[in-house]
Amino acid sequence: MSEHSDHSPYCIALQPICDRKLHHVADKLLYRSHCGADVASFDDPFLATVRSYSTAVYEVGIENLVGDRMLLFTAPLEWIENTGFFELPAEQLFAELTLDFFESPTALDAIQRLRSIGYLIAVPQTVFERYPEIPISLVDLVKIDSRRPDCLDLAAHLKGLGPRLLATFVEDQATLDRVHAGGAFDWFMGFVFLPPMHVKESGRKRRSNRAVELRLLAELSSNEMQVEQLEVLVAQHPHFCVLLFAQVNSAAFSRGNRRIDSLHEAVVRLGLERIKTIASFLLLSRNDPVEAVQVRMLLNRAAMAARIARRVRSIDPHTAFTLGLFSRLDAFEGLPMPTLLQGMPFSVPMQNALLKREGEMGKLLDVLDAHESGDLSSLSPAVVAKLNEDFVHAVAWTEQWLVRDQPQTSV
């Protein structure tokens, strides 16, 4: 690592992008140098690109990171001219070009080089305002800031000219409804698809067994739970029992032609760890597509907490997983944290961490929050580098579970 990089920590994140059906179809790879950064702003964008991809792409792999979704990444001109593109899998990638990219006299040649080997090109709409001579035929995705008063007019003007249209800065449901209703945008990106940071009553009608589901998640975090206890707990949620039987009798677990009909045997066969993971995915699933994307982000946070705990060894990883998950569940459920924790079997240190950010577990949550916000000022570059590794591996873990192991039954 260079001396410059030692003084310039950056934060890797993935921001989900959804289509008109609000299906999660792509992700934007973010690397932020300070809290609240809207764009990648670095003294050395080439260095940021190299470091980001070496972790996110080469160590983990795009398939593990985003499955079959597309990935947008910011492509500085120096990267295109000097690296041979790192031999990335072009068929899944949008190379996003910033406004200053087009200040170079070799910009159009660089775009042609990218397109010739299969990369798709994404640009902000402002490119065409500043450089009207740029052929729109060279572009596959145009980003339009939804905060602009004329965003719908701009989208209507560009609709049908070839590129997909991506509405950015879609921060809330009202904005999503507005740009979606316009009919011109193909994709949408913004904080509306991320887990909320603060409690905001959603007005959602909760199912009567919601408290049981959350209790099940909490109980599963205990390392001292016995099979008999787990069997009784699972039995309180009949629909989850059905899902467990479907999983244990699937081709991945069945032995020969013998089917398992005993809940006890199903619990033994699957094991505590697998049941906990299935519960996390399934019991948090929603029919609402926006919330489905948010669940993925919540699980990324939980998995990252577990990875950090395994590395620092001061907190049990199983506890850390549940800690990370519940630390955002209050906002997701639209309930104050004290209300959410009523009846939960958590230790006093864990409750204090969730309520007051106290103790070692509280410090872990502070670290997660700092990484999510991009506020790196209190963390050393070495810690941030490790957190970036933890993040991409946690995302890969979540992706593997969602794609390979999640039962196909809807909750």
Side-chain angles (χ1 to χ4, degrees):
M1 185 179 295
S2 69
E3 181 179 352
H4 174 82
S5 66
D6 285 342
H7 296 283
S8 301
Y10 68 96
C11 175
I12 287 179
L14 287 178
Q15 188 166 21
I17 298 171
C18 293
D19 63 11
R20 290 197 59 79
K21 295 182 179 179
L22 302 184
H23 294 158
H24 189 178
V25 295
D27 296 271
K28 171 64 188 297
L29 178 63
L30 303 175
Y31 30 98
R32 300 166 297 183
S33 57
H34 61 278
C35 182
D38 293 335
V39 296
S41 176
F42 295 93
D43 295 334
D44 191 342
F46 172 73
L47 178 62
T49 303
V50 171
R51 295 173 67 194
S52 298
Y53 300 151
S54 65
T55 300
V57 176
Y58 288 110
E59 293 184 18
V60 176
I62 287 183
E63 180 181 356
N64 291 329
L65 195 66
V66 297
D68 58 359
R69 298 190 302 277
M70 302 296 292
L71 183 68
L72 277 72
F73 68 98
T74 301
L77 186 63
E78 185 181 1
W79 173 77
I80 298 172
E81 293 181 335
N82 298 336
T83 66
F85 316 112
F86 293 139
E87 301 178 353
L88 300 179
E91 66 277 0
Q92 269 188 270
L93 294 177
F94 279 95
E96 183 178 341
L97 312 179
T98 57
L99 198 60
D100 57 3
F101 180 97
F102 292 88
E103 296 175 0
S104 168
T106 63
L108 291 183
D109 290 338
I111 293 175
Q112 294 286 14
R113 290 179 61 199
L114 286 170
R115 293 183 65 86
S116 69
I117 57 174
Y119 286 92
L120 299 173
I121 304 299
V123 299
Q125 192 277 335
T126 48
V127 164
F128 300 109
E129 295 176 344
R130 183 175 297 186
Y131 304 100
E133 70 277 10
I134 301 296
I136 198 169
S137 59
L138 293 181
V139 175
D140 302 284
L141 180 72
V142 178
K143 299 171 58 180
I144 300 177
D145 189 336
S146 66
R147 299 171 299 182
R148 291 182 56 149
D150 61 346
C151 73
L152 295 180
D153 293 335
L154 289 171
H157 174 71
L158 293 173
K159 187 69 175 177
L161 297 182
R164 287 189 182 100
L165 303 180
L166 170 63
T168 61
F169 294 99
V170 183
E171 309 295 74
D172 51 43
Q173 188 64 47
T175 303
L176 178 60
D177 291 341
R178 176 172 58 85
V179 294
H180 190 276
F185 285 105
D186 303 288
W187 287 0
F188 309 89
M189 180 175 73
F191 288 149
V192 69
F193 298 115
L194 296 176
M197 295 286 289
H198 305 289
V199 174
K200 181 179 180 180
E201 178 57 50
S202 64
R204 178 174 59 243
K205 183 179 180 180
R206 292 181 176 80
R207 302 191 301 273
S208 60
N209 64 348
R210 193 66 188 153
V212 176
E213 294 175 354
L214 295 175
R215 173 82 184 205
L216 175 59
L217 281 178
E219 293 280 8
L220 284 170
S221 68
S222 172
N223 291 331
E224 299 177 357
M225 177 173 287
Q226 303 298 316
V227 171
E228 291 75 13
Q229 294 173 295
L230 179 57
E231 181 182 359
V232 172
L233 185 62
V234 170
Q236 298 178 43
H237 196 297
H239 184 59
F240 188 50
C241 292
V242 173
L243 297 176
L244 287 186
F245 280 122
Q247 177 79 349
V248 79
N249 285 314
S250 67
F253 278 88
S254 60
R255 297 175 180 173
N257 296 321
R258 190 176 74 83
R259 294 181 61 82
I260 292 176
D261 298 313
S262 161
L263 179 58
H264 178 85
E265 189 173 356
V267 168
V268 172
R269 179 69 61 85
L270 290 174
L272 178 61
E273 282 304 300
R274 196 173 192 88
I275 290 175
K276 180 174 69 174
T277 307
I278 294 172
S280 300
F281 284 114
L282 297 179
L283 300 186
L284 291 177
S285 295
R286 305 288 200 191
N287 292 327
D288 183 279
V290 172
E291 291 177 341
V293 177
Q294 292 177 347
V295 166
R296 186 190 296 267
M297 302 301 107
L298 283 171
L299 292 168
N300 289 345
R301 178 180 172 90
M304 184 174 177
R307 278 193 60 89
I308 295 172
R310 282 195 294 271
R311 182 160 47 78
V312 301
R313 299 181 180 179
S314 60
I315 305 171
D316 178 79
H318 308 303
T319 301
F321 181 93
T322 305
L323 179 73
L325 186 64
F326 270 79
S327 65
R328 283 283 183 268
L329 271 186
D330 57 337
F332 184 73
E333 290 291 321
L335 294 171
M337 184 62 78
T339 302
L340 182 71
L341 294 182
Q342 287 180 3
M344 295 297 171
F346 293 147
S347 66
V348 171
M350 187 164 180
Q351 292 192 47
N352 288 341
L354 291 169
L355 292 169
K356 307 173 186 177
R357 293 298 197 266
E358 290 183 353
E360 288 299 307
M361 286 187 278
K363 293 179 182 178
L364 173 57
L365 294 181
D366 287 339
V367 169
L368 290 174
D369 293 343
H371 182 269
E372 286 184 359
S373 68
D375 183 1
L376 313 175
S377 58
S378 63
L379 304 176
S380 70
V383 170
V384 174
K386 285 294 185 181
L387 290 178
N388 287 332
E389 294 179 14
D390 291 332
F391 172 77
V392 293
H393 284 282
V395 170
W397 177 88
T398 301
E399 189 62 36
Q400 289 169 355
W401 263 97
L402 284 174
V403 173
R404 300 175 188 176
D405 295 293
Q406 182 177 1
Q408 298 303 305
T409 309
S410 299
V411 175

